């Protein structure tokens, strides 16, 4: 059987081909799955999608009509998939329920420290042989407060690093993580966390209940000199409201690896095109904002685990097995 994989990055392609070797053939495409590209999948029983795929009702209808019966998504998040329609069409859907939490937690800290210590500005200056320190002053993290929204595996990994810095830990989640409590984390209401934290980081899934978790009111409740980091899902932050606060001169720094309207932008080269998204265009002009292109997960370790799990999901589907990764079971 040949599998069609959409949205495969150049670094990812040899890993994917090697992992499927001896099991199935895999055809890798760099285009992302959406309504325009879905017809390419005609004749493929199994397709694999990336995190930025658009798997809404119309796309799923096209896939099912073309003979697709299984979708193996190479990500943990699945807010891009219409699971109700998939079930109606008899499509099996699986995801990667777990991969290295350290990849995302470490990158979130990279963003936090980069904006705190003005690394991008400093690097740009030294390339021009400008070695002044004006405007580069940061702050010690030691003794300050880290507010962690979402204390699952990634939030816990972030908390362990914060503990190593000697930070006070505040947490917010629907359930407390005993490992975080052992580090000295105090669980508090979201409002208290935002008001007291010097560094706020997001590690919760995107769902209707968490859409714009950080809205205009939440942003206004944060300290004027706080640092905000989002390496989870773009929809957790009301970006328009964030731009308004930044225009008012608030926040020491903002590090974003995700953006709520990133589909059709992230993972693509848009350098020779006019960006029609006015909010994103304004966002990247702020000197205290660092935007990266959804790369927090992108380490050899994490991508290797994602691919290994994806192969396992396909093999389970072919064998009629069901694992914890299955979102819609085989009918």
């Amino acid at each position: 059987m040949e599998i069609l994989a959409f949205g495969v990055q150049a670094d990812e392609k040899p890993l994917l081909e090697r992992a499927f070797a001896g099991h199935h053939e895999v055809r890798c495409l760099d285009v992302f799955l959406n309504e325009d590209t879905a017809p390419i999948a005609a004749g493929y029983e199994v397709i694999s999608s990336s995190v930025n795929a658009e798997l809404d009702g119309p796309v799923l209808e096209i896939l099912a009509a073309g003979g697709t019966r299984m979708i193996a998504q190479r990500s943990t998040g699945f807010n891009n998939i219409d699971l109700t329609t998939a079930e109606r069409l008899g499509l099996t859907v699986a995801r990667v329920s777990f991969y290295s939490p350290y990849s995302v937690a470490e990158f979130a800290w990279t963003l936090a420290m980069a904006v705190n210590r003005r690394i991008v500005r400093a690097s740009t200056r030294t390339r021009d042989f400008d070695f002044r320190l004006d405007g580069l002053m940061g702050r010690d993290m030691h003794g300050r407060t880290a507010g962690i929204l979402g204390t699952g595996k990634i939030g816990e990994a972030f908390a362990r690093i914060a503990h190593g810095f000697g930070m006070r830990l505040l947490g917010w989640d629907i359930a407390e993580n005993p490992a975080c409590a052992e580090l000295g984390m105090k669980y508090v209401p979201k409002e208290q966390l935002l008001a007291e934290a010097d560094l706020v980081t997001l590690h919760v899934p995107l769902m209707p209940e968490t859409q714009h978790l950080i809205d205009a009111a939440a942003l206004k409740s944060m300290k004027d000199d706080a640092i905000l980091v989002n390496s989870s899902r773009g929809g957790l932050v009301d970006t328009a409201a964030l731009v308004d606060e930044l225009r008012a001169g608030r926040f020491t720094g903002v590090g974003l690896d995700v953006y709520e309207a990133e589909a059709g932008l992230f993972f693509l080269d848009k350098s020779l095109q006019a960006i029609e998204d006015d909010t994103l265009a304004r966002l990247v002009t702020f000197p205290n904002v660092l935007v990266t292109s959804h790369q927090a997960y992108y380490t050899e370790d994490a991508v290797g685990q994602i691919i290994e799990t994806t192969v396992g999901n396909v093999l389970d589907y072919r064998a009629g097995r069901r694992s914890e990764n299955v979102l819609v079971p085989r009918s």
Side-chain angles (χ1 to χ4, degrees), residues 36-322:
D36 293 328
T37 60
I40 302 173
Y44 287 90
E45 180 182 350
V46 176
I47 65 104
S48 179
S49 58
S50 61
V51 65
N52 268 4
E54 298 175 16
L55 286 160
D56 54 15
V59 171
L60 294 175
E61 293 278 2
I62 294 171
L63 293 175
T68 296
R69 292 294 174 263
M70 194 264 182
I71 299 169
Q73 175 140 300
R74 302 187 309 280
S75 73
T76 298
F78 54 90
N79 54 285
N80 61 321
I81 307 174
D82 184 341
L83 298 179
T84 301
T85 299
E87 184 174 16
R88 176 176 60 81
L89 294 171
L91 293 170
T92 300
V93 181
R95 62 155 179 167
V96 177
S97 58
F98 173 83
Y99 61 85
S100 169
Y102 309 107
S103 60
V104 179
E106 291 171 6
F107 193 83
W109 263 110
T110 301
L111 290 174
M113 294 307 294
V115 296
N116 176 41
R117 301 307 298 269
R118 324 295 192 203
I119 298 300
V120 175
R121 185 185 302 178
S123 176
T124 301
R125 282 186 185 179
T126 55
R127 286 178 179 273
D128 293 330
F129 298 96
D130 178 353
F131 300 103
R132 292 173 299 157
L133 297 182
D134 296 344
L136 301 183
M137 185 175 287
R139 296 181 297 176
D140 290 359
M141 288 291 101
H142 179 84
R144 287 188 160 80
T145 299
I148 303 172
L149 295 162
T151 58
K153 290 182 172 64
I154 297 173
E156 178 189 333
F158 188 96
R160 290 189 182 280
I161 299 171
H163 182 262
F165 272 106
M167 301 186 75
R168 173 185 176 228
L169 301 177
L170 296 180
W172 175 85
D173 210 327
I174 57 174
E176 296 186 9
N177 183 337
C180 290
E182 289 180 7
L183 295 173
M185 177 178 286
K186 179 181 179 182
Y187 281 85
V188 297
K190 183 185 74 171
E191 295 74 17
Q192 181 181 345
L193 182 151
L194 294 174
E196 297 182 12
D198 300 292
L199 166 60
V200 175
T201 183
L202 307 178
H203 301 292
V204 299
L206 179 62
M207 54 186 66
E209 296 80 8
T210 59
Q211 177 75 27
H212 287 180
L213 180 69
I214 304 299
D215 57 12
L219 290 164
K220 289 185 182 301
S221 70
M222 292 172 60
K223 292 183 176 181
D224 287 343
D225 60 353
I227 293 172
L228 173 64
V229 174
N230 185 12
S231 59
S232 185
R233 286 292 183 269
L236 298 175
V237 177
D238 184 339
T239 317
L242 175 60
V243 168
D244 288 341
E245 296 303 309
L246 289 165
R247 290 178 63 187
R250 301 190 64 227
F251 305 136
T252 289
V254 174
L256 303 175
D257 185 51
V258 288
Y259 174 60
E260 58 183 326
E262 68 183 53
L265 289 172
F266 282 20
F267 304 142
L268 300 171
D269 182 2
K270 298 288 186 178
S271 60
L272 298 179
Q273 302 177 28
I275 298 299
E276 299 178 358
D277 189 324
D278 293 337
T279 302
L280 179 60
R282 184 69 180 94
L283 188 64
V284 298
T285 65
F286 292 103
N288 58 334
V289 174
L290 176 57
V291 178
T292 52
S293 54
H294 207 140
Q295 69 183 81
Y297 77 99
Y298 207 53
T299 66
E300 292 179 3
D301 310 83
V303 173
Q305 291 171 352
I306 289 170
I307 290 174
E308 180 181 348
T309 301
T310 299
V311 173
N313 288 340
V314 173
L315 296 180
D316 284 346
Y317 161 78
R318 294 287 288 176
R321 296 187 296 263
R322 181 175 177 178

Side-chain angles (χ1 to χ4, degrees), residues 27-41:
R27 177 187 174 196
C28 297
L29 302 179
D30 58 2
V31 297
F32 295 99
L33 179 57
N34 54 41
E35 195 166 356
D36 293 328
T37 60
I40 302 173

